[in-house]
Amino acid sequence: MPVDPPPRALAGIGDEAATSAAGQIAAIQRLGWRHVELRSVDGTALADLTDAAFARVRTALRDAGLDVVCAASRIGNWARPVTAPFADDLHELDVLADRCGALGTRYVRIMSYPDGGLAPDDWRDRVLDRTALLAERAARRGVVLLHENCAGWAGADADRMLQLLGAADGLGLLFDTGNGVDHGYDAAELLPPLLPHVAHVHVKDAVGGPGQARYVLPGDGSARVADCLRLLLDSGYTGALSLEPHLAARPHDGVRAEDAEPFVRAGRRLEALLHELAGSVPA
């Protein structure tokens, strides 16, 4: 008789559902989940919250019984080219390392930098150098950096991701099922060589094409979400599946969530997909 896979954490990036901490917590609780990923609260990035504001968020999460699975940073993202001051990334990492310790999580999401107008070889060399330094600093602070298949030098190329991993000891991968639609690649084809290195997963789906993606419920788009999840499950992945549906919020477009209902619908759809793929709903 087949044995059900071990439970894995279902989570969601809170500001995809609401701007306030209370709203983010309420949306996760509506789904009956126990895990959240933090990116911003009240429109302010996690690393930019005042100490008092962060303390309030930490207390609210503790009182709600929610665990934090990852902190989504701005390091190397679409707004920070590789020519931007490295001191900004180092400062954000240091703040988040402290806050991850307080929250009981060890993962910090990063990307691999837009080129900032540099020649390809210079872009590569600077990305590899910066990421290695960041990963080393993170390890000393007790956190693990996870590179996402999104913006940057290694965002859409598996060989480059593997090269980045080889250059930065302790770096892991965060795989987003839906980024391929907006960035012009097939996520299910990108994933297989990366499977041993995936430590965290974002779930979204979309239709359209590069620069024109329109986000839909998981399973309704062309991102091959079910295929990606099947590959992950078959590989033995037991980490978190963190919902980032981009239905009510799209931070890169300056759109904040005003209604949690689309987020909750996306969560129910993710549960349904997992029922079909694994025969049980992870908790």
Side-chain angles (χ1 to χ4, degrees), residues 14-154:
D15 63 8
E16 291 277 325
T19 56
S20 70
Q24 295 180 28
I25 290 168
I28 296 293
Q29 290 179 323
R30 281 181 62 186
L31 287 163
W33 298 354
R34 300 192 301 272
H35 303 83
V36 65
E37 183 168 342
L38 293 181
R39 183 169 58 199
S40 70
V41 177
D42 294 326
T44 300
L46 180 61
D48 292 348
L49 293 173
T50 66
D51 289 343
F54 172 72
R56 289 192 293 270
V57 171
R58 181 184 61 181
T59 297
L61 292 169
R62 182 194 62 206
D63 291 348
L66 297 185
D67 293 326
V68 178
V69 293
C70 184
S73 83
R74 297 161 295 179
I75 296 170
N77 78 359
W78 52 87
R80 288 194 187 172
V82 75
T83 52
F86 192 36
D88 293 345
D89 294 331
L90 296 173
H91 173 71
E92 182 160 1
L93 175 57
D94 287 344
V95 173
L96 289 178
D98 288 339
R99 293 186 170 178
C100 284
L103 293 166
T105 189
R106 64 192 185 103
Y107 288 150
V108 175
R109 185 280 307 271
I110 67 168
M111 298 181 194
S112 54
Y113 298 98
D115 62 21
L118 294 180
D121 288 350
D122 291 339
W123 180 25
R124 176 201 61 215
D125 291 347
R126 195 172 298 191
V127 168
L128 294 176
D129 287 346
R130 282 194 174 195
T131 306
L133 290 169
L134 287 163
E136 180 184 4
R137 192 183 189 98
R140 292 200 306 267
R141 300 298 307 274
V143 294
V144 176
L145 300 186
L146 302 179
H147 172 265
E148 181 178 351
N149 53 312
C150 189
W153 179 77

Side-chain angles (χ1 to χ4, degrees), residues 173-253:
L173 295 183
L174 187 164
F175 187 80
D176 187 302
T177 65
N179 282 343
V181 175
D182 197 40
H183 291 273
Y185 62 87
D186 185 309
E189 292 183 1
L190 183 81
L191 178 56
L194 306 176
L195 284 167
H197 308 284
V198 175
H200 189 58
V201 171
H202 285 171
V203 178
K204 69 164 69 75
D205 203 349
V207 295
Q212 298 180 326
R214 179 172 64 83
Y215 296 94
V216 296
L217 293 174
D220 283 357
S222 57
R224 299 180 63 189
V225 173
D227 290 338
C228 291
L229 293 175
R230 184 179 294 108
L231 286 167
L232 288 158
L233 293 172
D234 288 348
S235 77
Y237 177 76
T238 57
L241 300 174
S242 189
L243 185 67
E244 189 193 15
H246 277 8
L247 297 174
R250 295 185 307 280
H252 50 288
D253 293 328

